[in-house]
Amino acid sequence: MFIGWEGVGLCSYLLIGYWFKNTEYGNAARKAFVMNRIGDLGFLLGLFFIIQQFGSLTYSEVFPQAAGMFKGDSILVVITLLLFVGATGKSAQIPLYTWLPDAMAGPTPVSALIHAATMVTTGIYMIARSNILYTLAPTTQVVVAVVGLATAILAATIAIKQNDIKKVLAYSTVSQLGYMFLG
């Protein structure tokens, strides 16, 4: 998953910077790159903690071991919070949400595919796929729900005041991602 995670991030950076002679688009590409690297650092640290605790990154080996742990175990809370930081960067949640509206600088059809469908849903997929870990970490579930709700409300409010249709769609996407995290 991590290799695909990074591949999508690279494609996003290259797409946003497609018109590299325009400095605004170049700045947007760098902003997306930095914010995604912040999230990726959290994701990577979470993976390191998983390896340290369970000795593997394979779902079929990690989940049975995790199921034997008690609900609310501090190591599970740390792991899930770090994984959530990764999801926050990739899926544009508070505080790492500002890169997505700027990312609409790329060519529209490809931008829609990467930023409204493929890339931004990877964080939600990772959390859904790791649901056993999140079920055992109720503290993290509350954090995910609060951040998702706050992002949904904030992004929808910002979208109301936008004039550029691509920005409206970007903030709408961020808002809908917040609802997915809340769910």
Side-chain angles (χ1 to χ4, degrees), residues 55-68:
S56 174
L57 288 175
T58 308
Y59 290 120
S60 60
E61 294 178 25
V62 171
F63 291 165
Q65 291 181 50

Side-chain angles (χ1 to χ4, degrees), residues 4-171:
W5 187 275
E6 290 300 322
V8 169
L10 174 64
C11 289
S12 173
Y13 168 73
L14 294 173
L15 172 69
I16 298 165
Y18 180 75
W19 285 300
F20 59 90
K21 292 182 181 177
N22 183 326
T23 56
E24 181 183 337
Y25 297 161
N27 291 338
R30 281 188 292 283
K31 182 179 188 178
F33 183 80
V34 168
M35 288 199 174
N36 275 281
R37 294 299 75 81
I38 292 168
D40 292 350
L41 176 63
F43 186 60
L44 194 59
L45 289 173
L47 294 178
F48 289 149
F49 275 107
I50 289 173
I51 291 170
Q52 179 188 16
Q53 181 66 30
F54 302 109
S56 174
L57 288 175
T58 308
Y59 290 120
S60 60
E61 294 178 25
V62 171
F63 291 165
Q65 291 181 50
M69 299 175 80
F70 68 91
K71 196 172 194 170
D73 190 332
S74 61
I75 189 67
L76 288 175
V77 171
V78 169
I79 288 170
T80 54
L81 283 173
L82 287 170
L83 293 178
F84 178 60
V85 169
T88 300
K90 212 49 110 195
S91 294
Q93 297 296 291
I94 290 175
L96 302 175
Y97 72 96
T98 59
W99 71 266
L100 186 59
D102 294 342
M104 295 300 155
T108 301
V110 184
S111 184
L113 174 67
I114 295 291
H115 297 124
T118 308
M119 180 172 169
V120 295
T121 56
T122 56
I124 293 164
Y125 170 78
M126 184 266 297
I127 287 180
R129 183 69 176 95
S130 307
N131 67 357
I132 293 172
L133 300 176
Y134 282 87
T135 301
L136 294 170
T139 304
T140 306
Q141 288 180 327
V142 170
V143 170
V144 171
V146 168
V147 169
L149 181 62
T151 302
I153 292 170
L154 179 67
T157 305
I158 293 171
I160 291 171
K161 289 299 213 177
Q162 296 300 312
N163 293 325
D164 180 11
I165 190 67
K166 286 177 102 175
K167 295 262 187 193
V168 171
L169 291 172
Y171 281 112

